[in-house]
Amino acid sequence: MRKARLVICDIDSTLVVKHQMLTPRARKVIDTLRERGTYFGLASGRPLFQIRASMEMWGYDDFDVLVGMNGASVWDGVDRKEYSYFQMKKEWIKDTFDLMAPFESSPSIYLDNAQVFLKEDDLKEYQRMFKSMGDEKGMIALRLAKGKEELYAQDNGKIMFRVDEKIMPQVEAWVAAHPNDYYTGFKTQPSLMEFCNKNISKAYGMEQFCKMHGFGLEDVAAFGDTTNDNEMIQAAGWGVCMANGSDDTKAIADEVTEVACDDDGWADYMEKNFI
């Protein structure tokens, strides 16, 4: 059986099916880990307030660590302290609009504990998605931007662009062909491209928690499914990609689960290898 001081997971398509409930099986694994003294945490592109909304829906008040905004925000649940790291400067955010101009896309940001959309259709789609969850505790505030300028009026942890899944390979190739000295872009879902400060990653946030509590990355088991998880999976002592994960993430993982997220693949892997 493998051992770890910290087990940390991406949320969507890794721990749970997108924006859905935690299964009883996964909950039992989490509770068993924590009872044995293993730290457990979540690492997501979502802001901390949205991660907490999901946790509340699942019936949890807190975990040992939350890495939000792809590493730009970290909550240390052990010492009860929150930390912020490298942000996207407002002028960089404005630049991403020009970069993404060749593609039909729907930008949004997190601002003042809400997700703010430029396009009404995108807003309505998210409203439908959250309502379909059937639990208002999992809802976050959603609103329409007052104008394009509001999205780059101040520094922010990241900006997101929703695109048609069919053109994502073209978008990824375009972004890779136009590197920037200050920020980077990567796919976080099949139809979502995100941009954040080049110095930040889920691995960075994870590493900060390890340093705070006196152990190394070799004592971490990390789980993810797509490109924004790659650095975290590579940095951890044991990095695992889900069976439903993207090819680039499978290529750098130490192991790939036998079962996909839709069939409780994370819990299945943990039961066989850690529990």
Side-chain angles (χ1 to χ4, degrees):
M1 289 294 172
R2 295 191 175 278
K3 294 183 179 180
R5 293 285 303 278
L6 167 66
V7 173
I8 190 163
C9 298
D10 175 49
I11 300 177
D12 292 335
S13 301
T14 299
L15 185 62
V16 299
V17 179
K18 185 172 174 59
H19 290 287
Q20 296 298 316
M21 292 295 291
L22 190 69
T23 67
R25 188 179 178 189
R27 180 188 301 276
K28 184 176 180 180
V29 171
I30 293 171
D31 292 345
T32 300
L33 287 171
R34 300 185 78 193
E35 287 166 5
R36 293 180 179 180
T38 301
Y39 294 128
F40 179 78
L42 301 174
S44 176
R46 305 184 200 177
L48 294 178
F49 75 85
Q50 192 179 17
I51 298 174
R52 291 187 176 110
S54 292
M55 290 169 54
E56 183 180 356
M57 182 176 68
W58 302 339
Y60 284 98
D61 293 328
D62 205 2
F63 286 135
D64 300 299
V65 58
L66 305 177
V67 176
M69 299 291 273
N70 294 314
S73 301
V74 173
W75 167 251
D76 180 350
V78 179
D79 291 338
R80 314 293 297 174
K81 293 181 180 179
E82 184 173 327
Y83 302 87
S84 292
Y85 300 106
F86 306 98
Q87 299 286 296
M88 277 280 282
K89 293 186 179 297
K90 56 187 180 183
E91 55 267 30
W92 304 348
I93 297 174
K94 185 177 181 181
D95 284 346
T96 63
F97 281 82
D98 294 332
L99 179 61
M100 292 294 289
F103 306 98
E104 179 67 27
S105 64
S106 300
S108 67
I109 62 168
Y110 292 111
L111 184 65
D112 299 330
N113 289 344
Q115 187 168 359
V116 182
F117 300 86
L118 182 61
K119 297 183 178 180
E120 188 171 5
D121 287 348
D122 212 31
L123 169 63
K124 289 180 177 179
E125 176 60 30
Y126 269 70
Q127 288 173 331
R128 285 192 294 270
M129 179 181 66
F130 278 107
K131 286 178 181 178
S132 71
M133 293 164 57
D135 192 326
E136 292 184 357
K137 291 190 295 184
M139 293 281 289
I140 64 167
L142 307 170
R143 71 173 177 85
L144 202 61
K146 298 171 185 175
K148 178 180 176 180
E149 294 76 14
E150 184 180 9
L151 299 186
Y152 49 77
Q154 62 188 60
D155 296 352
N156 201 300
K158 68 175 184 177
I159 183 167
M160 303 163 281
F161 289 85
R162 180 75 58 185
V163 300
D164 188 321
E165 185 174 340
K166 295 177 182 178
I167 68 167
M168 179 56 82
Q170 299 172 48
V171 174
E172 287 187 284
W174 177 262
V175 172
H178 295 79
N180 187 278
D181 291 336
Y182 305 109
Y183 60 83
T184 186
F186 43 80
K187 177 183 67 178
T188 59
Q189 295 176 20
S191 61
L192 193 65
M193 176 65 65
E194 300 188 5
F195 295 89
C196 68
N197 189 304
K198 207 165 191 174
N199 294 304
I200 210 64
S201 69
K202 291 182 180 181
Y204 183 87
M206 177 179 74
E207 183 179 15
Q208 300 316 300
F209 178 79
C210 293
K211 287 180 178 179
M212 293 171 198
H213 296 284
F215 62 94
L217 292 169
E218 66 274 10
D219 295 320
V220 178
F223 296 79
D225 72 292
T226 194
T227 308
N228 71 323
D229 300 315
N230 287 0
E231 291 186 20
M232 177 177 74
I233 287 174
Q234 286 183 303
W238 193 248
V240 182
C241 179
M242 304 304 295
N244 52 277
S246 56
D247 290 341
D248 60 318
T249 305
K250 289 178 180 178
I252 56 89
D254 293 302
E255 194 166 3
V256 177
T257 64
E258 297 176 0
V259 182
C261 177
D262 287 4
D263 296 312
D264 231 353
W266 179 79
D268 179 81
Y269 182 90
M270 292 301 296
E271 289 168 353
K272 293 175 178 176
N273 295 279
F274 283 83
I275 304 298

